[in-house]
């Protein structure tokens, strides 16, 4: 099967992605959320991942994320 090129209604994707822009769009963990979770006894790295995975929505959401991470590792 061969391509017949760009078809009506299709749009070409950009050739390259600006690496600096991608780096700046990465979400970082909210350290206040992480600190609260760590004080509850959760692993620091898991807390960071939970905060990032929940888009820093809050401590309660991140706790659910920590439990989810912990359950996957068992």
């Amino acid at each position: 099967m061969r391509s017949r090129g760009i078809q009506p209604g299709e749009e070409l994707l950009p050739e390259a992605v600006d690496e600096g822009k991608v780096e700046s769009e990465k979400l970082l963990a909210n350290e206040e959320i992480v600190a609260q979770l760590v004080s509850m006894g959760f692993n620091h790295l898991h807390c960071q991942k939970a905060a990032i995975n929940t888009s820093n929505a809050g401590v309660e959401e991140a706790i659910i994320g920590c439990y989810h991470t912990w359950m996957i590792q068992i």
Side-chain angles (χ1 to χ4, degrees):
M1 204 181 311
R2 294 187 74 180
S3 171
R4 296 189 177 143
I6 189 166
Q7 302 294 310
E10 292 182 335
E11 185 177 319
L12 291 176
L13 295 174
E15 290 294 324
V17 176
D18 181 13
E19 291 296 325
K21 185 176 180 182
V22 172
E23 282 295 320
S24 66
E25 291 177 1
K26 287 186 179 179
L27 185 62
L28 299 175
N30 180 323
E31 287 304 319
E32 291 178 17
I33 294 172
V34 173
Q36 289 180 30
L37 294 171
V38 169
S39 72
M40 294 178 199
F42 291 104
N43 176 288
H44 190 269
L45 180 60
H46 293 171
C47 295
Q48 287 179 323
K49 289 181 178 183
I52 291 169
N53 289 337
T54 59
S55 300
N56 294 314
V59 175
E60 292 179 14
E61 291 82 357
I63 288 173
I64 294 169
C66 280
Y67 279 122
H68 183 259
T69 301
W70 177 72
M71 292 299 288
I72 289 174
Q73 292 182 349
I74 291 181

